[in-house]
């Protein structure tokens, strides 16, 4: 597994070793021993989630507040997405900054997203299946949503690449709060 740091403190890009042959491929998406050796962290995952989205769908930017904050290991199973993470840790040097990258079924990149970050993605392919493990259970009373199009954050979503001016979002995501309201 290959580890890359990002400009956001604690946010990591992990790329597993992919073993290809005439049958297809095999990869180890998570190994606690390898993860600990690479990162110094030992998350305890308690829930695995999966979502299917179609082209132009934007999910996020979601997070859970303390005491139910979640660390996430995010990977794409099929398709392609532009994945975005925003640092919401007020004591962090990178508070209010965002990072985005393409996760797809070819590059097999994964994101380790520490607790205290908002997360979202825009589907670039006809369909995309995102799978993620979390370190705390879903807690609707602690769940929050940040406006995907917040002008302060000014996230450069690749909408033009898709030929659209606005993504498809849920009612909850359409009502996300402004960054200045945090």
């Amino acid at each position: 597994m290959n580890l890359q740091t990002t400009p956001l403190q604690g946010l990591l890009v992990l790329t597993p070793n992919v073993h290809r042959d005439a049958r297809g491929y095999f990869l180890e998406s998570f190994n606690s021993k390898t993860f600990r050796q690479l990162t110094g962290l030992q998350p305890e995952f308690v829930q695995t989630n999966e979502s299917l989205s179609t082209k132009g769908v934007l999910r996020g930017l979601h997070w859970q507040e303390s005491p139910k904050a979640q660390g996430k290991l995010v990977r794409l199973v099929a398709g392609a997405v532009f994945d975005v993470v925003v640092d919401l840790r007020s004591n962090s040097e990178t508070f209010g900054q965002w990072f985005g990258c393409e996760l797809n079924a070819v590059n097999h990149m994964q994101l380790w997203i520490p607790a205290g970050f908002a997360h979202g993605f825009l589907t670039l392919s006809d369909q995309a299946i995102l799978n993620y493990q979390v370190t705390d259970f879903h807690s609707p009373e602690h769940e929050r949503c940040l406006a995907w199009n917040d002008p302060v954050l000014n996230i450069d979503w690749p909408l033009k690449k898709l030929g659209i001016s606005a993504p498809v979002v849920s009612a909850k995501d359409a009502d996300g709060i402004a960054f200045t309201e945090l």
Side-chain angles (χ1 to χ4, degrees):
M1 182 161 292
N2 181 39
L3 171 73
Q4 295 173 276
T5 58
T6 69
L8 302 186
Q9 183 181 24
L11 176 68
L12 303 172
V13 177
L14 300 155
T15 307
N17 297 320
V18 180
H19 306 281
R20 299 179 192 280
D21 63 24
R23 300 167 296 164
Y25 72 84
F26 171 84
L27 65 81
E28 190 174 75
S29 63
F30 179 75
N31 176 306
S32 64
K33 182 180 175 183
T34 303
F35 191 87
R36 184 178 63 252
Q37 288 172 340
L38 285 173
T39 67
L41 304 170
Q42 193 167 8
E44 180 182 337
F45 296 116
V46 298
Q47 184 174 320
T48 301
N49 302 318
E50 187 167 292
S51 68
L52 169 71
S53 302
T54 56
K55 186 182 251 179
V57 167
L58 191 148
R59 294 181 185 260
L61 300 156
H62 304 146
W63 81 99
Q64 285 188 183
E65 290 186 330
S66 195
K68 295 293 185 179
Q70 297 173 316
K72 297 179 183 179
L73 183 61
V74 176
R75 70 188 280 275
L76 200 73
V77 177
V81 300
F82 182 69
D83 204 277
V84 171
V85 180
V86 179
D87 189 348
L88 300 180
R89 303 168 300 172
S90 58
N91 61 343
S92 169
E93 292 178 12
T94 55
F95 173 71
Q97 295 178 29
W98 66 272
F99 173 83
C101 67
E102 184 173 325
L103 302 180
N104 62 54
V106 176
N107 68 23
H108 299 286
M109 291 181 354
Q110 303 176 64
L111 290 177
W112 164 249
I113 305 169
F117 284 76
H119 172 252
F121 63 90
L122 173 66
T123 307
L124 304 175
S125 54
D126 289 338
Q127 287 190 332
I129 299 173
L130 193 85
N131 181 283
Y132 56 103
Q133 299 178 80
V134 294
T135 60
D136 207 336
F137 297 102
H138 179 243
S139 177
E141 60 270 19
H142 295 92
E143 187 177 37
R144 302 293 180 264
C145 181
L146 187 61
W148 67 270
N149 57 352
D150 185 274
V152 172
L153 296 174
N154 196 29
I155 296 170
D156 189 15
W157 297 100
L159 299 173
K160 289 180 184 174
K161 179 178 180 177
L162 297 176
I164 61 175
S165 58
V168 177
V169 296
S170 69
K172 175 180 82 171
D173 292 352
D175 289 336
I177 63 170
F179 179 74
T180 57
E181 293 178 45
L182 293 177

